[in-house]
Amino acid sequence: QVQLVESGGGLVQAGGSLRLSCAASGRTFSINAMGWFRQAPGKEREFVTAITWSGGNRLYADSVKGRFTISRDNAKNTVYLQMNSLKAEDTAVYYCAGRRWGIATLYAGDYDYWGQGTQVTVSS
């Protein structure tokens, strides 16, 4: 099994920045891709960004391109989400996800492991 633990959420003013972290533990050798999804109140969970561990291919939702950056630290089994130029519409619970043996995709159903989520609130 794999456990994912997010951290770094909080309250920030519009235009500000936050960095989220997601640390993986357990059978991490089985993970080949990790991603971030988010869910705002009353809305469905949506894709934000993802990275394939081998090769480092990155995917981004159009809504965050140029503002958010996903990165990884292989030695620490940790993935990061740097969020800049935050907007009120970025307010959501952000979830880290891990996928076994597959490349990064946009689809939540492709991911096998999920963190508990961390709240990001952007005040306007």
Side-chain angles (χ1 to χ4, degrees):
Q1 270 291 13
V2 172
Q3 293 78 42
L4 303 177
V5 178
E6 302 101 333
S7 61
L11 174 64
V12 64
Q13 288 189 332
S17 299
L18 278 177
R19 189 176 82 153
L20 306 183
S21 301
C22 175
S25 61
R27 300 171 66 87
T28 57
F29 62 85
S30 66
I31 296 178
N32 195 52
M34 292 184 73
W36 291 93
F37 291 76
R38 66 187 182 186
Q39 188 166 18
K43 295 188 176 181
E44 294 186 352
R45 189 170 298 190
E46 66 173 2
F47 171 77
V48 177
T49 181
I51 185 169
T52 301
W53 227 244
S54 57
N57 182 49
R58 292 167 171 83
L59 301 175
Y60 292 96
D62 288 343
S63 59
V64 306
K65 279 181 182 175
R67 301 189 298 122
F68 290 11
T69 303
I70 190 170
S71 62
R72 62 187 178 175
D73 184 327
N74 289 359
K76 295 182 179 180
N77 290 316
T78 297
V79 65
Y80 302 98
L81 177 60
Q82 178 67 43
M83 304 185 293
N84 298 328
S85 302
L86 283 161
K87 305 175 182 179
E89 51 263 43
D90 294 318
T91 295
V93 177
Y94 283 70
Y95 296 92
C96 176
R99 187 183 189 200
R100 290 182 304 194
W101 313 123
I103 63 173
T105 74
L106 312 177
Y107 308 107
D110 288 341
Y111 292 79
D112 304 287
Y113 307 108
W114 291 86
Q116 80 287 353
T118 185
Q119 177 70 47
V120 171
T121 302
V122 184
S123 62
S124 57

